[in-house]
Amino acid sequence: MLTRLASIQRVRNLKAVRPQIFAKFSTDAKLYSKQHNPPRVPNLIGGAFIESRSSEYIDVINPATQEVVSQLPLTTNEEFKAAVSAAKQAFPSWRNTPITTRQRVMLKLQELIRRDIDKLAMNITTEQGKTLKDAQGDVFRGLEVVEHSCGMATLQMGEYVPNVSNGIDTYSLREPLGVCAGICPFNFPAMIPLWMFPVAVTCGNTFVLKPSEKDPGASIMLAELAMEAGLPDGVLNIVHGTHDTVNAICDDANIRAISFVGSNVAGMHIYARASAKGKRVQSNMGAKNHGIVLPDANMDATLNALAAAGFGAAGQRCMALSTVVFVGDSKS
């Protein structure tokens, strides 16, 4: 009974603070068009956050309150082409930028993400619904990839083999591909974009990012931080949408490589359609995780761990436990 009363009080406390949470998010989303209510999510094209001219918008819903947080455009074909063109134009100078300079942008970006981690987490909780602690973990896991990108110079080293055959030396160089693209799912709004564009741009590529239409805010905030860190105009671009935007990314001849994380059905479609156009595609789909319980396992600790692994984040993550293997008489 005491537990139930405590839960009711927590819900009341949440309802009391809800307007402040929503107001804080609205204040932080400075890039959103404020002449509309709810605000509209912009595209990022050539270094400028631009309100779409699309006539079709999708509501971004706070799953805890069902309030409309913002509206996301179905980016027009002209806007998509402009984003790819901006990335293509930015590529020659960016690929010739010294790797140490590109690393320096990532060093600054990780500093800025640490500074704004609470704002990013608040946005993720508002749009995606995970707890603040889980949202901070979402940002932190992506931050680890930014930190990895800060050491890209040694990872970009080629190889040299003298006298591999009579009078023949061989050497290899690592060179950027050109314009790359990322297609993101809804369950990790910060971590998965940070899996994609920091590595790609530090290697000298330019990038077109399509966030999930359900929670685009974190990508917009990260892009703003990347430009504050010194990323030149056009190196990172953001477009929004659903199937049509995904198909445009698969079909555009200027996009050389695509990274995708999401469901099996979408991933198989993207892999087939984009690879048929000669693109390099990495398609991270589904997952199957197993928990193994040994006979000497502590029962309470094991039950807590299995419940958290299976149902944490409402099970909406590829690491959600779906299978448990019991060894010996641990099953009883």
Side-chain angles (χ1 to χ4, degrees), residues 75-272:
T75 300
T76 67
N77 187 56
E78 291 75 20
E79 290 163 347
F80 173 76
K81 292 291 186 186
V84 175
S85 177
K88 186 177 180 181
Q89 289 175 22
F91 176 62
S93 62
W94 183 241
R95 73 170 295 172
N96 290 320
T97 300
I99 182 69
T100 49
T101 303
R102 301 199 296 260
Q103 276 186 167
R104 213 166 290 129
V105 174
M106 291 299 114
L107 285 163
K108 182 64 176 177
L109 176 59
Q110 62 91 21
E111 176 191 327
L112 296 175
I113 290 172
R114 289 181 186 279
R115 182 195 72 188
D116 287 359
I117 191 167
D118 290 338
K119 291 181 182 178
L120 285 157
M122 180 69 76
N123 171 267
I124 292 167
T125 296
T126 303
E127 291 187 349
Q128 200 273 347
K130 61 179 70 178
T131 64
L132 277 172
K133 184 178 179 181
D134 217 1
Q136 288 169 338
D138 185 331
V139 179
F140 185 76
R141 292 302 177 198
L143 178 61
E144 291 179 328
V145 180
V146 180
E147 292 171 339
H148 178 70
S149 299
C150 294
M152 194 61 72
T154 52
L155 299 175
Q156 288 292 91
M157 292 171 64
E159 296 177 338
Y160 173 71
V161 183
N163 207 34
V164 68
S165 186
N166 189 29
I168 298 175
D169 300 338
T170 67
Y171 66 90
S172 62
L173 301 174
R174 296 182 184 272
E175 295 187 334
L177 290 171
V179 181
C180 301
I183 301 169
C184 303
F186 79 97
N187 56 346
F188 286 89
M191 182 182 78
I192 293 176
L194 288 173
W195 280 1
M196 295 179 179
F197 79 82
V199 174
V201 302
T202 312
C203 289
N205 302 287
T206 54
F207 209 80
V208 177
L209 181 71
K210 193 206 87 66
S212 168
E213 65 276 11
K214 297 184 190 305
D215 44 24
S219 290
I220 295 290
M221 295 169 76
L222 290 168
E224 184 186 27
L225 295 181
M227 292 194 296
E228 184 181 342
L231 202 66
D233 293 351
V235 173
L236 174 62
N237 304 271
I238 295 178
V239 294
H240 303 287
T242 55
H243 308 90
D244 289 344
T245 308
V246 168
N247 287 336
I249 289 171
C250 292
D251 295 344
D252 194 293
N254 292 306
I255 294 176
R256 303 290 304 280
I258 297 173
S259 183
F260 167 80
V261 178
S263 69
N264 285 25
V265 173
M268 291 169 71
H269 169 78
I270 290 165
Y271 189 88

